[in-house]
Each structure stands twice: as C-alpha cells, then as structure tokens.
Amino acid sequence: MGGLRYWADRLAVESEPGLTTAQLMLTNRDLEPVEPNKRTWGWANFVAFWISDAFNINTWMISSSMIVAGLSWWQAWLCVWLGYFIAAAFVCLTGRIGAIYHIGFPVVNRASFGIWGSLWPVFNRAAMGCIWYGVQAYIGGHCIYLMIRSIWRSWDRDTIPNTFPEDSGTTTADYVSFFLFWLLSLPAIWFPVHQIRHLFTVKAYIVPCCGLAFFVWAVVRAGGVGPIIRQPSALQGSALAWEFVRGIMSSIANFATLIVNDPDFARFARTPRDALWSQLFTIPVSFAVTSFIGIVVSSSSTVIYGGDPIWDPLELLERFIDDGGSGQRFGVFVISLGFSLAQLGTNIAANSVSAGTDLSALIPRYLNIRRGGYICAAIGLAMCPYTLLTDSNQFITYLSAYSVFLSSIAGVMCSDYYIVRKGYLEVKELYDGRKSGPYFYGVGIHWRGYVAYIAGIIINVIGFAGAIGRDVPVVATYIYHLNFFAGFIISAVVYWGLCKISPIPACSDVWMEVGEAIDELRLAYDSENGSSTEALINPNAAKGTPYKSNDDRNTVWRAH
C-alpha cells in the first residue's frame, strides 16, 4: 500500500499546495488561469497562428466538393469567404471568454454545464481530438512518403513488399512514412502553449511560400489557369441557392472544433484586443487565399494530365515525381516539406493542445497538457487511422457530420456568458467542488445546460441521419443544411429561456467582465472558515467595480 501511495505521489502533476481531494480532481497548474508572465500571445502571434493553420491539405480541398456539386469556382470561393468570416465571428465570441478570464474550454464549460457536468463535453471533444490527430498524422505521413520518394524513387508502395492485408487501407511504405511523421511530431508536443507560438510563426513564413510556389509551378506547366476558372455554374434557381448555403455551412462545420476550443489559445493573449481583430480578419482572408490556390492548381491539373481535376495536392505532387527529373523531384521535396510542416502545425493547434487540455481536465491529478498531448498521440497511432480512410468506409462522413453537434456546446457557452451572466464569472468558484458553490447546481450537473444541449442536437439529428445515407423528410434535410446555425440558436435560446424561468446564481444585472482585475488566484480553502482564500486583484482595475453574486456566501477579496 505504501508503494502505491509513493508512486501515486510521484506521478502526480504540479498543483497548488493545500488543495482538497475534490479540488485535486478539478485543477492543476495547466488548468488554472494563466499567470500574467505567461500571457505572451500578441496580435501578430494570432495572425501567424491562423495563417499557419489555413495552409493545410483540408483547406486546399475545401472548395472541391462545392465545385463538383455544381457551383462555379467564384461561387465556391465566395462560400469560403462568407463561411469563414462567420466562423471567425464565432471564434471571437468563444475566444473572448478565454482572453478576459484566461481560462480554457474545460473550465469555461463548468459555468454552463456544472462543475462535474462539464466532463461530458470535455470528454466528447477529447475523443474527437485523439481521432483527428491520427487521421491528420496519416495525411502528414503521405507528405513524408513524397519527401522520401523525391530522393529515392525506389520508395514506391507498388514495388516495396507489402506486409499489410489488401483491404487494410495502407501499405508498408505508407505505414512507415506515417510512423516517421508521428515520431517526428512528438518533440513539438513537449513545449508549453505559451511558447509553441514560435512554431506557428515559422510555419506562417514557410508554408505559404511553398503553396505559392506550387501555384506558380502548376500554372506555368499548364500554360494558364485551366478550364475550371471558365466553367459556369451547373445549377439554377432554388437548387443553386441551397447549394450555396450548403457551401457556406460546410465551411463553418469544418471549423466547429476550433470554434469551441479557441479559449485554449486566447487565454494566453496579452490583452483581449489582441485576440479579437487579429482573428476576425485573418481567418477568412487566409483560408480564402489557400482555397483559391487549391482551385487554380486543381484546374491546371486538367490541362497537364487531362481528365478530371486532381483536387488532392499530394496526389498531384506524386504525379510530378513520376514524370519529372531531379530538378522537379527537388521541387516536390521542398513543397512536401512545407505541407508536412503544415500538417504538424494543424495537428498541434486543432488536436494535440485541445485534447491535451481536455484530458488534463478529466484527470487533473495526474495529467497536464503535455502528458495529455502524448496520450492523444499514442491513441492516434494505436487507432490505425488508415482503416478509417478506405474508400468503402464512411467514417470521415460521420466525423464531419458529427462535428456540427459541437454547435450545441458553443450555443450554451455563448448564451451563458453573453446573455445570462452578462460577462460575469466568479473564477475561483469554477474550481470549487463543494455543494455550496454557485456552479455546483445541487448535484454538480447543470440540468438547464444539458436540456439546451440536447435540444440543439435534436433539431439536427434527423438531418444527420440523411447525411449518412438514410431516407429522411425533405424538411429535415433543409434544416440540416443550416446545421451549425440551427444547433447554436436552438441551444442558446433554450438555455436563456430556462434560466429566465429558473434563475441561476452568480449573474450580473449589467454587463460586467472582471477578469482583467485578477492578477493571481489562490484556490486552496481557508483552514479556519472553509472558504476559498482570497484572490489577489489589481486595485486600479477593480476600482468602482460592483462585484455581485446571487449565492449566500461572501467572496473575500484583498487588494495589494
């Protein structure tokens, strides 16, 4: 027994001294509000972050399904502009909570879903992050495959003896390339979030240059931009209108995970303004530019090789290796290196950090963000992601459709913060596991949040069945075309209505964001009266602020 206790203490992560057992199940250093010296992300870091995130394989191909469905190239591109501008607005809404109070998604959710009720949304997103980490890493492995094959053309999946079954979805060469990408990604997980911004800065310089080089190369080889640019829309009337709406919504749904996890990064902002305008404008511009390059390069491929356009840039690069000399292979190597860096940055931003934060919130006594990130990577390898990417497997359809259900979580979060509480949070109480806490809601689960969350899911569930191939009423299909808006609006309105009927504690009657008043937060309960010890606040920031709580307990503040 003593040995188990010894190893339990050895494996425990760093946390504030004096915490109770319940608090140790709610916090560690990585989940606490970010200290002032670690609030290092300025506006330029957010610009670099989104530029680097935009240049990846998925964004490159985002317009392909719209054009194949019948939109002209400019209509598809307009969908990307509008969709990502709307997504950027949602990102700024959720990100502001993190930028003001310097807390991440798992802690923000405790206000709207309850101290323990928040674990389900957190687990939900952690599982998605782990799965997507493996899928994105396998795509990154294709980049490594091209880099190796650019040097040694004998590195060929068709000639190297294959030890995997034919229906496995991979080959020996592809799996080794995937494993190399996975292995080379591990050091990036080691660095804390407030330092990882340098990776995105480097990526923001290198990857766009590689994308532009690919763009120029393809246009020069084709002698022009190809036929897609001159191809008119194949749709008219209501069919065109609904396809346009679907294009916008697919862009937003593609961003659903990043919408809910933005507080994980915005919490490191120097000021809330740094996380506002930089994100609002950089997101639509960077994603639209990447999409445009993808459209033109794919259009050029029809001139170079004939037949249908090649939407996957990695497939086109592989063609370049097959029909080119050493100079052309060098170009493929450099561009593939840029794409591999793009996949690494995207995997860290969208999956590793988010899943690491979520796993840390699930087991805070023993997991911090770094350990959670490595568990995410291990799951991504163990799940054999290539089995999910076979042509006969609809898993990506399920995953893409399922991501829109995150809109219900975002709807509850935003309704709680902006409408019900009017920007007011008692941050200390988000780490309080006692029944008397304002976010405990009697049983630790906020029933209003869950009713609203389920309502936002129900409005989309029949249309979701249609998206995966079931026969459903046409009305459900039209509602599902507006999936993110439907889930967000329904969950937000239901949550607001329930809180009107049955008021909740710790709200304000006027708009009141007090996060910038807090310089340091002490979470341990006071040994004499059992209350949380005081938070240290900036007296100038707090001056004249009417702190308010609807619960019966007094919060002790001490100016310094």
Side-chain angles (χ1 to χ4, degrees):
M1 197 69 177
L4 287 176
R5 184 180 296 276
Y6 168 79
W7 283 109
D9 292 339
R10 289 279 293 176
L11 293 173
V13 299
E14 182 184 3
S15 58
E16 181 182 320
L19 299 181
T20 65
T21 301
Q23 284 186 301
L24 289 174
M25 296 172 65
L26 290 170
T27 188
N28 57 42
R29 292 298 187 189
D30 282 352
L31 293 175
E32 292 178 6
V34 177
E35 302 96 322
N37 65 315
K38 291 183 179 179
R39 300 170 191 172
T40 56
W41 284 50
W43 67 266
N45 297 119
F46 284 100
V47 169
F49 174 81
W50 289 115
I51 291 176
S52 66
D53 188 70
F55 276 83
N56 63 69
I57 308 299
N58 289 341
T59 308
W60 190 281
M61 300 168 59
I62 191 67
S63 298
S64 62
S65 60
M66 306 177 203
I67 295 175
V68 170
L71 296 182
S72 66
W73 77 269
W74 67 266
Q75 291 168 339
W77 197 41
L78 184 58
C79 288
V80 172
W81 272 103
L82 292 174
Y84 279 100
F85 186 80
I86 295 170
F90 281 117
V91 164
C92 292
L93 281 176
T94 59
R96 181 172 179 82
I97 309 173
I100 290 289
Y101 289 97
H102 305 286
I103 52 178
F105 167 81
V107 180
V108 170
N109 258 345
R110 293 173 184 172
S112 46
F113 287 95
I115 291 293
W116 305 119
S118 64
L119 295 180
W120 170 248
V122 169
F123 171 80
N124 231 342
R125 202 190 61 161
M128 288 286 287
C130 293
I131 293 170
W132 272 114
Y133 187 95
V135 171
Q136 295 283 10
Y138 191 76
I139 296 173
H142 195 177
C143 300
I144 299 296
Y145 173 85
L146 293 176
M147 291 169 64
I148 298 174
R149 193 153 187 267
S150 298
I151 302 172
W152 300 287
R153 291 189 63 179
S154 59
W155 187 258
D156 190 332
R157 64 172 65 90
D158 296 325
T159 59
I160 293 177
N162 184 24
T163 58
F164 288 83
E166 296 246 344
D167 60 350
S168 66
T170 192
T171 65
T172 299
D174 286 309
Y175 184 84
V176 171
S177 302
F178 158 58
F179 183 78
L180 287 173
F181 180 87
W182 179 87
L183 189 65
L184 294 171
S185 300
L186 295 182
I189 301 175
W190 180 265
F191 297 98
V193 180
H194 68 281
Q195 294 179 358
I196 201 70
R197 70 189 191 280
H198 301 305
L199 169 65
F200 303 121
T201 302
V202 171
K203 181 185 170 186
Y205 283 108
I206 295 176
V207 179
C209 292
C210 293
L212 290 172
F214 196 7
F215 171 82
V216 173
W217 190 7
V219 170
V220 169
R221 282 200 63 179
V225 293
I228 291 179
I229 301 300
R230 296 182 291 274
Q231 176 180 306
S233 173
L235 302 173
Q236 292 181 343
S238 62
L240 173 61
W242 276 111
E243 196 58 47
F244 191 83
V245 169
R246 287 184 63 189
I248 294 174
M249 298 311 300
S250 67
S251 298
I252 299 174
N254 190 52
F255 224 65
T257 302
L258 291 166
I259 287 173
V260 297
N261 76 12
D262 194 61
D264 293 338
F265 293 94
R267 64 193 289 232
F268 293 92
R270 293 170 187 163
T271 67
R273 184 180 294 271
D274 286 325
L276 176 59
W277 302 112
S278 56
Q279 299 193 99
L280 186 61
F281 293 109
T282 304
I283 290 172
V285 171
S286 56
F287 279 82
V289 169
T290 305
S291 173
F292 177 75
I293 293 174
I295 291 171
V296 173
V297 171
S298 300
S299 179
S300 301
S301 71
T302 63
V303 177
I304 300 171
Y305 295 107
D308 294 330
I310 301 172
W311 292 105
D312 186 346
L314 302 182
E315 182 182 344
L316 183 57
L317 287 173
E318 197 163 347
R319 293 276 194 98
F320 282 8
I321 292 176
D322 293 333
D323 64 12
S326 59
Q328 191 157 301
R329 294 203 307 272
F330 176 75
V332 171
F333 178 89
V334 173
I335 294 172
S336 299
L337 176 62
F339 275 128
S340 64
L341 181 60
Q343 288 302 115
L344 170 63
T346 299
N347 228 4
I348 295 296
N351 301 316
S352 172
V353 170
S354 300
T357 304
D358 294 337
L359 291 170
S360 176
L362 293 175
I363 315 177
R365 183 76 175 99
Y366 296 102
L367 295 181
N368 53 23
I369 294 177
R370 178 182 293 160
R371 292 181 183 180
Y374 282 116
I375 290 175
C376 171
I379 294 173
L381 177 68
M383 60 174 270
C384 303
Y386 45 85
T387 62
L388 309 178
L389 298 173
T390 56
D391 293 337
S392 60
N393 198 309
Q394 285 190 306
F395 191 77
I396 293 302
T397 303
Y398 281 87
L399 267 181
S400 299
Y402 178 76
S403 67
V404 304
F405 292 101
L406 294 173
S407 65
S408 296
I409 297 176
V412 173
M413 284 173 57
C414 291
S415 181
D416 178 76
Y417 183 78
Y418 289 99
I419 302 176
V420 176
R421 301 189 190 279
K422 294 182 173 59
Y424 178 72
L425 291 177
E426 293 187 10
V427 179
K428 294 196 312 298
E429 309 304 336
L430 294 171
Y431 302 88
D432 190 342
R434 295 171 298 178
K435 294 183 178 180
S436 57
Y439 305 116
F440 199 84
Y441 305 110
V443 294
I445 299 174
H446 191 190
W447 64 268
R448 304 168 189 82
Y450 270 93
V451 170
Y453 168 67
I454 294 170
I457 291 176
I458 290 175
I459 194 68
N460 277 318
V461 72
I462 299 177
F464 170 70
I468 58 176
R470 304 292 188 272
D471 292 328
V472 299
V474 66
V475 174
T477 301
Y478 286 142
I479 292 175
Y480 192 71
H481 287 341
L482 299 169
N483 43 42
F484 194 91
F485 284 132
F488 185 92
I489 293 172
I490 292 297
S491 60
V493 171
V494 170
Y495 184 82
W496 170 80
L498 291 173
C499 291
K500 268 290 189 184
I501 297 170
S502 175
I504 60 176
C507 296
S508 173
D509 293 329
V510 296
W511 183 258
M512 184 169 57
E513 292 179 320
V514 298
E516 288 303 297
I518 301 174
D519 279 351
E520 183 183 344
L521 197 65
R522 296 177 181 172
L523 303 176
Y525 302 149
D526 182 77
S527 58
E528 293 183 3
N529 56 28
S531 64
S532 296
T533 58
E534 56 272 348
L536 301 182
I537 66 172
N538 184 323
N540 295 322
K543 187 176 181 180
T545 304
Y547 291 97
K548 171 188 174 184
S549 172
N550 291 340
D551 66 329
D552 296 331
R553 297 178 302 110
N554 292 322
T555 303
V556 182
W557 299 86
R558 176 170 61 84
H560 69 94

